[in-house]
Amino acid sequence: MDQTEILLTAETYALQGWDFAKGWLLSPAAWTQFGLLVVAYVVAVYITRKLLPLLSKYLAPPADQDNVLAKIRRFILMFTPLLLPLMAYAFTGLGEGVTRSIFGSGEVIAFGKRVFMFLAARILVREVLQDPMLKVLGRYLLLPIAALYAVGLLDEVMAQLDQTVLPLGNLSFSLLFLLRFIVVGGAIFWLGRWSNEQSSSFIKNQQEMRPAMRELAAKATEIAIFGLAFLLVMNIMGISLTSLAVLTGVIGVGLGFGLQKIASNFISGVILLLEGQATVGDYVELDGGEAGTIVKMTARATILETYDGRWIVVPNEDFITTRVVNYSDSGSANRYEAPFSVSYDTDINTVPAIVEAAVAKNPDVLSDPFPPDCELRGFGESGIDFSVEFWVNGIDDGRHKYTSDVLFRIWNALKDNDIEIPYPRRVIEMKGPFPSKPE
């Protein structure tokens, strides 16, 4: 084809395009649709500006409220940025019905309506969604789908994806099925995680329940929610649960052999929560030397936090098969001792009353089950040894330094009564004369 033929072909296409554009520009139906698009957008902007302050006024809860109703109201307010494009979409849909009934066509306004839906999807991904997983799904799945819908190619692309089959052994599925599974599964499991967070927060706020029962109820609710989410995904995608029988058998064999410890720790965790012998907030010490405050109980292990800020992961089985000392068992008090010494020149009959009165002034020292008790322990090399026993609700470590405060009070009380606290003394006996100084 020479240059003249190319120019003639280009001129032919240009004339056809001009005739097409001129037909649209001179068509009353096209101008009507353009006008309705503008009117729909302007009306949507006007109504949105009126509604947003009202929604913020009546839906926004006080900042100090954190109940279920307040969370629902905040959740609804998250979607207010979608108000403008969705209202424009709705008004454009009404305009499309009018133009199709009058002129028998509505391609222009239908395209505008799809563009408004694409803008709504874009705002949803950029401004509304906060969860990282949903943002990824929105950016790489929802926005491309909305763009294809806006240009009118969604049906063709979906048909092509449905015809593209991926073989996987004896199974095969289409790309369209895979995309639907990802979208539906991601949305349902996100909803399950959100529901689990809300239900767990609600259960843990029920202070009338024992801490162990709160943990057990939260775990049972979590298993129920995600189990239901799994069954729901399988049902929506049309996957028969009977086809999972072989997989279930394999999992059972794995639990019997390779996952014995995991199963044992899981059952041990359930027993711990049921019995309530150790729960979140307790300070425990195990036979292996691990000691700390229980900060979290998972299906496999219990997390201990030491007073130096370290976390220790202890398998739940260790709480069942080994000896565990719980210093924070419900309502229990702990006894501690503070040793000290006085000089041999002291009237020791006055020491117990002075020390007991000083220790009792500590607001954390209990009078029940026993008040402070100062006892004579022995006669040391440098002084007379005493020790005062006292009871407190808590552990003498971390934030609470009971023994340190008690010793300060003992020191001050002895000083106020002119009682000397001895220090080690040694008597050196020299036998024979001192060596003479050399001349």
Side-chain angles (χ1 to χ4, degrees):
M1 182 180 293
D2 57 16
Q3 186 175 2
T4 304
E5 291 179 348
I6 294 175
L7 292 175
L8 290 174
T9 303
E11 183 180 0
T12 301
Y13 284 127
L15 290 174
Q16 290 177 357
W18 169 249
D19 291 337
F20 180 78
K22 185 170 62 175
W24 275 103
L25 291 173
L26 300 177
S27 170
W31 282 106
T32 303
Q33 293 177 57
F34 279 121
L36 288 175
L37 274 176
V38 174
V39 171
Y41 179 76
V42 171
V43 173
V45 170
Y46 176 79
I47 296 179
T48 301
R49 289 180 177 177
K50 296 293 184 181
L51 282 179
L52 282 179
L54 295 176
L55 291 175
S56 300
K57 177 180 178 181
Y58 292 106
L59 285 180
D64 56 343
Q65 283 190 8
D66 197 32
N67 52 34
V68 177
L69 183 58
K71 291 180 179 179
I72 294 175
R73 292 164 68 181
R74 291 190 182 99
F75 181 75
I76 295 174
L77 281 174
M78 288 172 51
F79 295 91
T80 53
L82 298 175
L83 188 60
L84 175 58
L86 291 181
M87 292 194 69
Y89 177 86
F91 293 144
T92 306
L94 295 176
E96 181 184 7
V98 172
T99 57
R100 290 191 183 278
S101 63
I102 297 176
F103 301 103
S105 64
E107 289 77 6
V108 175
I109 198 169
F111 174 73
K113 183 178 70 171
R114 295 195 298 268
V115 170
F116 286 136
M117 182 56 67
F118 171 76
L119 293 176
R122 187 168 176 269
I123 293 173
L124 176 68
V125 173
R126 289 195 171 188
E127 300 183 22
V128 177
L129 297 181
Q130 302 297 328
D131 185 82
M133 184 187 74
L134 289 183
K135 272 190 172 295
V136 171
L137 288 176
R139 186 177 297 115
Y140 296 106
L141 285 177
L142 180 60
L143 286 182
I145 291 174
L148 291 172
Y149 172 74
V151 297
L153 297 177
L154 182 60
D155 293 337
E156 289 79 1
V157 174
M158 289 183 66
Q160 186 63 35
L161 291 175
D162 195 26
Q163 294 174 4
T164 305
V165 177
L166 299 176
L168 184 63
N170 295 328
L171 301 176
S172 61
F173 50 87
S174 66
L175 279 176
L176 182 61
F177 176 85
L178 179 61
L179 291 177
R180 284 177 176 172
F181 184 82
I182 293 174
V183 173
V184 173
I188 289 180
F189 276 97
W190 174 84
L191 183 61
R193 189 178 68 176
W194 181 82
S195 302
N196 176 61
E197 290 175 355
Q198 303 306 314
S199 60
S200 178
S201 176
F202 175 77
I203 291 172
K204 290 181 179 180
N205 287 332
Q206 307 305 308
Q207 299 299 326
E208 64 273 8
M209 297 174 62
R210 290 172 48 230
M213 289 304 299
R214 290 201 299 267
E215 289 292 327
L216 181 60
K219 292 297 179 185
T221 304
E222 180 180 1
I223 294 173
I225 288 175
F226 284 104
L228 180 61
F230 174 77
L231 295 177
L232 189 58
V233 170
M234 295 296 104
N235 185 50
I236 291 176
M237 302 310 300
I239 301 176
S240 176
L241 295 179
T242 57
S243 62
L244 301 177
V246 176
L247 178 61
T248 306
V250 172
I251 294 176
V253 173
L255 287 174
F257 290 97
L259 304 179
Q260 291 183 12
K261 282 293 184 181
I262 294 179
S264 174
N265 286 319
F266 177 78
I267 296 173
S268 299
V270 174
I271 294 174
L272 281 174
L273 292 174
L274 286 174
E275 293 183 348
Q277 294 179 355
T279 187
V280 174
D282 289 353
Y283 185 89
V284 297
E285 181 179 355
L286 279 70
D287 263 352
E290 301 89 351
T293 303
I294 300 176
V295 295
K296 188 176 182 181
M297 300 181 73
T298 66
R300 187 190 66 84
T302 298
I303 312 298
L304 305 183
E305 183 178 11
T306 63
Y307 282 119
D308 55 3
R310 298 174 182 174
W311 280 25
I312 305 175
V313 180
V314 181
N316 290 329
E317 186 181 12
D318 290 358
F319 283 84
I320 303 297
T321 59
T322 62
R323 184 180 67 92
V324 179
V325 180
N326 190 342
Y327 292 92
S328 305
D329 196 10
S330 179
S332 64
N334 298 308
R335 190 191 72 174
Y336 294 95
E337 295 184 2
F340 64 96
S341 299
V342 297
S343 171
Y344 275 101
D345 297 331
T346 305
D347 181 3
I348 61 174
N349 297 296
T350 62
V351 171
I354 295 172
V355 171
E356 290 171 1
V359 174
K361 293 179 180 179
N362 185 312
D364 295 314
V365 173
L366 304 176
S367 59
D368 184 29
F370 299 102
D373 180 25
C374 183
E375 299 177 353
L376 176 64
R377 292 298 172 87
F379 302 98
E381 294 182 0
S382 303
I384 304 173
D385 298 329
F386 284 87
S387 182
V388 59
E389 298 175 349
F390 59 95
W391 290 76
V392 292
N393 270 327
I395 308 300
D396 186 27
D397 203 345
R399 295 174 299 160
H400 307 294
K401 302 292 186 182
Y402 302 116
T403 303
S404 175
D405 182 78
V406 165
L407 288 174
F408 269 109
R409 293 177 183 273
I410 292 173
W411 172 275
N412 293 327
L414 295 180
K415 286 295 183 181
D416 291 343
N417 288 273
D418 296 325
I419 297 176
E420 180 185 357
I421 297 178
Y423 53 87
R425 297 175 182 177
R426 296 290 183 267
V427 176
I428 299 176
E429 181 180 353
M430 299 292 297
K431 294 184 178 181
F434 283 99
S436 59
K437 183 177 180 181
E439 296 180 359

